[in-house]
Amino acid sequence: MKKVCVAVLAVLPIAAVGAQQPTSITLSCNGTSKLMTAGDDTKPDPITNLGMIVNFSERTVTFNSYRIPIERVDNTMVLFHGDQAMSYAGVKLKPVTVDGSVDRVTGAASVEFMHERVGDNSTWELMCKPAKQLF
């Protein structure tokens, strides 16, 4: 009986290692982008095939030219938040605050972009699915 228990206990760490989460997940997302203005009459713009990488080992979420730190990960959600300096045609722009989440079960993602000029603030509502990187 003791030999059986020792054998089972020896196998348990191997099973736990096999169940570890991947170091990153590549997603393809579709949804809408909408300006957050005082009036709610703005028409949302479509977002199609947006590539997003959730990198658990680096603790970042990357999409477009954004690379945002992950604040928290649990069984159902990935939450990310950070300020990112932007530039356009070599001109530095004011930093953008990015707040977001990805539901690990449903694939629903939400991203808010907060600019110094309030009229530029926008929100993205997305549905994401796992994808393979092409190269």
Side-chain angles (χ1 to χ4, degrees):
M1 182 67 172
K2 286 184 181 179
K3 289 182 182 180
V4 172
C5 289
V6 171
V8 169
L9 290 175
V11 173
L12 284 177
I14 295 170
V17 169
Q20 289 180 346
Q21 69 182 2
T23 58
S24 68
I25 297 173
T26 301
L27 303 169
S28 176
C29 306
N30 296 312
T32 59
S33 170
K34 187 174 181 181
L35 285 174
M36 297 187 307
T37 59
D40 197 34
D41 57 351
T42 58
K43 182 180 175 191
D45 293 318
I47 297 174
T48 55
N49 299 320
L50 172 76
M52 182 182 289
I53 298 174
V54 180
N55 190 319
F56 295 105
S57 60
E58 293 181 7
R59 297 196 53 82
T60 59
V61 175
T62 305
F63 55 95
N64 285 359
S65 59
Y66 296 96
R67 188 168 188 249
I68 308 300
I70 292 175
E71 282 196 330
R72 190 182 76 169
V73 176
D74 61 30
N75 289 335
T76 60
M77 297 295 288
V78 175
L79 303 174
F80 53 97
H81 172 84
D83 294 329
Q84 179 143 354
M86 302 298 291
S87 63
Y88 179 74
V91 177
K92 287 188 177 184
L93 304 174
K94 302 274 184 185
V96 176
T97 300
V98 180
D99 252 329
S101 64
V102 180
D103 187 308
R104 298 177 72 179
V105 177
T106 66
S110 179
V111 184
E112 289 187 356
F113 300 89
M114 308 302 280
H115 298 265
E116 186 175 285
R117 200 177 92 168
V118 176
D120 293 337
N121 294 346
S122 63
T123 184
W124 292 0
E125 296 299 330
L126 306 166
M127 285 303 296
C128 302
K129 60 184 179 182
K132 290 186 180 179
Q133 284 187 291
L134 297 177
F135 52 92

